[in-house]
Amino acid sequence: MTIRDFIIRTCTDMGISCVGCAAVIRWEQPLFFPWVPESCYPNAIYPEAQTAVVIGLPVHLPVVETAPSIWYREEYKIVNSLLDQYTWRIATVLNDQGYASVSIPRDGYGSITVLQKNPAAFFSHRHAAVLAGLGTFGRNNMVLTRAWGPRVRFGTVLTSARIESDALIESSLCTRCNACVRACPVHALEEEDYPESKTNKKACADRSAALNGEYRSPCGICIKVCPVGADRDLFNRTDIRMYDDTGAWKKYHDAWDHVRSFGSD
């Protein structure tokens, strides 16, 4: 069994279906500009790193649809916690096999207050996911996947093992429908492809801080309206007009309003 097969089997045993690998040299071959600062490259953080192993876990669409809400907040926290646990376990299993490995925490910025001052983390799981062939960027500054659109969170393991990289997704998964641009409550997005679009990260962080005080952060609106993802078929949510039409889809709006009326002041 190759080390790659071993990782896939380990992930499968943990219920992880979204996993990809990227040789750290890929960070030195920018896909677009501006690119990740060199200080945030994998082997600038962990010099022994040869490969980044990236996993993804979904946030379930019907939960995201209630956002901002206490329900989405709690699921978001659960997914982040699982990512930290799973990546730690993967790194530990690789260490046991003789491959020096470390996991990168899901959030590397401290708090929303810190993020307001400096909207960045010490490592970008989003760029790692793209380089590991798991998705492409959308206009909402999020990584879009075939299975879940942007409704997915990523975690990364840096390992000394040399593992073949997964193929990049060459064509953008973004449909350029601008649903995320129109839906953003703080007008933080532009009708340009990433990275040409200048996302107002400060406005996004300020909204998250306000919602955090109400126990219903993060925002989540731009990811719930995105039409990309097979999860829309699974949950019968293929018509995104449902988020604006309170007539034909009244039962859904009633359900979302019910959830939003709980858990915050």
Side-chain angles (χ1 to χ4, degrees), residues 7 53 58 69 93 98 100 117-118 134 161 163 168 176 197 202 224 246 258:
I7 290 172
V53 179
S69 72
V93 168
K117 298 175 183 177
N118 180 28
L134 299 181
I163 307 171
L168 300 174
R176 299 175 177 83
S197 59
K202 177 65 164 55
K224 75 179 180 184
T246 57
H258 166 74

Side-chain angles (χ1 to χ4, degrees), residues 180-201:
C180 59
V181 177
R182 294 190 299 270
C184 179
V186 293
H187 309 292
L189 306 175
E190 297 180 355
E191 294 184 5
E192 297 289 342
D193 289 342
Y194 184 91
E196 285 79 10
S197 59
K198 306 302 179 185
T199 303
N200 189 336
K201 295 181 180 179

Side-chain angles (χ1 to χ4, degrees), residues 96-188:
D96 291 342
Q97 294 294 313
Y99 301 101
S101 306
V102 296
S103 58
I104 302 294
R106 176 42 255 178
D107 288 329
Y109 52 80
S111 71
I112 291 178
T113 301
V114 174
L115 199 62
Q116 286 178 282
K117 298 175 183 177
N118 180 28
F122 73 83
F123 182 80
S124 173
H125 297 284
R126 294 177 302 117
H127 287 79
V130 170
L131 289 172
L134 299 181
T136 66
F137 278 100
R139 288 186 170 175
N140 59 354
N141 199 34
M142 303 295 289
V143 174
L144 310 185
T145 63
R146 293 188 175 100
W148 308 301
R151 294 165 292 277
V152 56
R153 306 282 290 160
F154 298 102
T156 306
V157 172
L158 302 181
T159 178
S160 62
R162 295 179 182 272
I163 307 171
E164 181 182 356
S165 298
D166 283 279
L168 300 174
I169 297 178
E170 297 293 342
S171 300
S172 175
L173 300 180
C174 180
T175 65
R176 299 175 177 83
C177 67
N178 291 322
C180 59
V181 177
R182 294 190 299 270
C184 179
V186 293
H187 309 292

Side-chain angles (χ1 to χ4, degrees), residues 202-217:
K202 177 65 164 55
C204 189
D206 286 347
R207 174 165 170 80
S208 290
L211 291 173
N212 191 52
E214 301 170 2
Y215 305 103
R216 54 195 189 109
S217 66

